[in-house]
């Protein structure tokens, strides 16, 4: 009986928070903020990807996979940590601890492997595009499935005796038993491989690939500038490279403090080599990696910006008014300029083009119609309200009419 009582007391102490009640509430509120921001941002990414699913290319699939990892990781696991913080102890003890540790480890590995795959694919396409472009175009689905499979298999090893999921030193989260390095050879092998093969190697690949991409794109851009060549494609590629560089760098920076603290924890047999607060801040900082990817997409990706605006205007049409877009199409041997008018509700609606040269009513305008060519030039497409603002984009209205063109009133 005394043995059972001591085991019970030890279990309670392991799953009890080592922080003050005020600190527990602050931790819970911080994780709650991370969850809400992640659900808002990554949910928006998933909705936009679903809306334009027919226009998506294969290379965007891994970005969708990254949003899925961040979105469902916050839904499925972090609420348990929030409730435990407000309760000042881990709820459910060992069962929920294994569930939380297993799930977070799977989703954490998926996030790291996905960013590693994006970095390597971007590197191969940028530096060896002719060799790998065709093969990589159809390999994104297989890569995404392989990422989930490897993460799930490796994370399930502690369920079969290779490693263990235990509470973190501050008592409000669960993770791999990093101190298992001192318990058995199997646990030591699992811990070392988790750091070497599934943390250090991916980080090195991410950093090297992204640095090589930035160097290659910058060098190519400088060579074009030196020859006086201005290319919009060069500018778009540079923005895209910077976007993925920020995503990769942010992920590495967010998880680096937690990885360092956990690595140092391996080589200390005593349980309290660091104050509980020393484990809390790296853990909370690592959770922030779920937040910033949507903001990076919005800042660097013009298409994502347009889709967000269209989505907001479709939900709240009153945010925009009516717009009139006018386009004058020019053609060979055409003296007059047929004008296209676009009337639309400011948003993503189906647009109709009206040509005065074709839909002009008969009667008083017959005299003017005689000045137009019998074979009108093929009109250019009407630009959408949220179209690209490229420097080389043609203007909607020609402020310098042709020499013999007729004045047109609208």
């Amino acid at each position: 009986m005394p043995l059972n009582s001591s085991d019970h007391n030890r279990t309670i102490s392991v799953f009890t928070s080592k922080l003050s009640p005020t600190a527990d509430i602050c931790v819970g509120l911080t994780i709650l903020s991370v969850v809400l921001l992640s659900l808002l941002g990554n949910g928006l990414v998933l909705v936009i990807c679903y809306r334009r699913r027919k226009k998506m290319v294969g290379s965007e699939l891994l970005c969708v996979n990254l949003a899925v990892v961040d979105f469902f990781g916050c839904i499925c696991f972090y609420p348990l940590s929030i409730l435990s913080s407000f309760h000042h102890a881990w709820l459910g003890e060992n069962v929920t601890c294994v569930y939380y540790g297993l799930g977070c480890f799977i989703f954490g590995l998926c996030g790291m492997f996905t960013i590693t795959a994006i970095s390597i694919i971007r590197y191969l396409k940028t530096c060896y595009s002719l060799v790998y472009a065709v093969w990589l175009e159809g390999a994104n689905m297989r890569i995404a499935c392989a990422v989930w499979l490897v993460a799930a298999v490796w994370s399930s090893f502690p369920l079969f005796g290779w490693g263990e999921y235990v509470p973190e030193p501050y008592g409000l989260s669960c993770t791999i038993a990093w101190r298992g390095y001192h318990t058995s050879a199997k646990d030591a092998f699992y811990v070392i491989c988790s750091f070497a093969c599934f943390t250090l190697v991916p980080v090195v690949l991410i950093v090297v690939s992204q640095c090589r991409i930035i160097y290659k794109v910058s060098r190519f851009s400088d060579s074009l500038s030196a020859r006086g060549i201005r290319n919009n494609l060069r500018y778009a590629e540079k923005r895209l490279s910077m976007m993925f560089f920020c995503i990769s760098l942010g992920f590495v920076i967010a998880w680096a403090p937690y990885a360092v603290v956990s690595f140092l924890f391996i080589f200390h047999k005593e349980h309290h080599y660091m104050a509980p607060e020393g484990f809390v801040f790296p853990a909370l900082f690592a959770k922030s990696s779920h937040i910033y990817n949507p903001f990076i997409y919005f800042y660097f990706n013009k298409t994502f910006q347009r889709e967000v605006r269209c989505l907001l205007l479709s939900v709240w049409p009153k945010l925009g008014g009516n717009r009139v877009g006018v386009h004058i199409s020019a053609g060979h041997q055409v003296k007059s300029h047929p004008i296209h008018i676009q009337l639309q509700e400011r948003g993503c609606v189906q647009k109709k083009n009206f040509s005065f040269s074709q839909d002009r009513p008969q009667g008083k305008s017959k005299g003017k119609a005689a000045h137009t060519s019998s074979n009108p030039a093929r009109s250019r497409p009407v630009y959408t309200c949220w179209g690209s603002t490229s420097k080389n984009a043609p203007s909607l209205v020609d402020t310098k009419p042709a020499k013999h063109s007729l004045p047109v009133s609208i």
Side-chain angles (χ1 to χ4, degrees), residues 17 19-29 85-86 88:
S17 174
L19 306 175
S20 64
T22 303
D24 288 340
I25 294 175
C26 292
V27 170
L29 292 177
S85 299
F86 294 148
H88 308 297

Side-chain angles (χ1 to χ4, degrees), residues 44 51 307-319:
L44 187 63
R51 285 167 57 92
E307 292 292 339
V308 170
R309 294 187 184 109
C310 290
L311 179 62
L312 292 178
L313 290 173
S314 64
V315 176
W316 294 291
K318 293 183 179 180
L319 292 177

Side-chain angles (χ1 to χ4, degrees), residues 99-126:
Y99 163 78
Y100 183 90
L102 175 65
C104 288
F105 200 37
I106 291 176
F107 279 73
L109 290 179
C110 278
M112 180 173 291
F113 293 163
T114 301
I115 293 179
T116 305
I118 291 174
S119 301
I120 295 175
I121 290 174
R122 289 278 308 157
Y123 170 72
L124 294 177
K125 284 187 174 181
T126 303

Side-chain angles (χ1 to χ4, degrees), residues 42-159:
N42 293 289
L44 187 63
V45 172
L46 294 178
V47 170
I48 289 175
C49 291
Y50 178 77
R51 285 167 57 92
R52 59 186 304 271
R53 59 192 181 277
K54 295 182 180 179
K55 302 178 183 178
M56 289 180 60
V57 296
S59 58
E60 296 177 336
L61 182 61
L62 293 177
C63 294
V64 176
N65 188 54
L66 192 60
V68 169
V69 169
D70 293 334
F71 185 83
F72 287 99
C74 291
I75 286 181
C76 299
F77 307 108
Y78 288 171
L80 186 58
S81 182
I82 295 171
L83 295 176
S84 298
S85 299
F86 294 148
H87 193 262
H88 308 297
W90 184 258
L91 300 176
E93 297 185 353
N94 191 59
V95 175
T96 55
C97 185
V98 173
Y99 163 78
Y100 183 90
L102 175 65
C104 288
F105 200 37
I106 291 176
F107 279 73
L109 290 179
C110 278
M112 180 173 291
F113 293 163
T114 301
I115 293 179
T116 305
I118 291 174
S119 301
I120 295 175
I121 290 174
R122 289 278 308 157
Y123 170 72
L124 294 177
K125 284 187 174 181
T126 303
C127 301
Y128 307 99
S129 57
L130 296 179
V131 180
Y132 296 100
V134 177
W135 179 82
L136 291 173
E137 189 62 28
N140 292 279
M141 179 62 73
R142 296 192 295 270
I143 292 174
C145 294
V147 162
W148 282 97
L149 180 61
V150 173
V153 170
W154 184 254
S155 300
S156 63
F157 275 27
L159 303 179

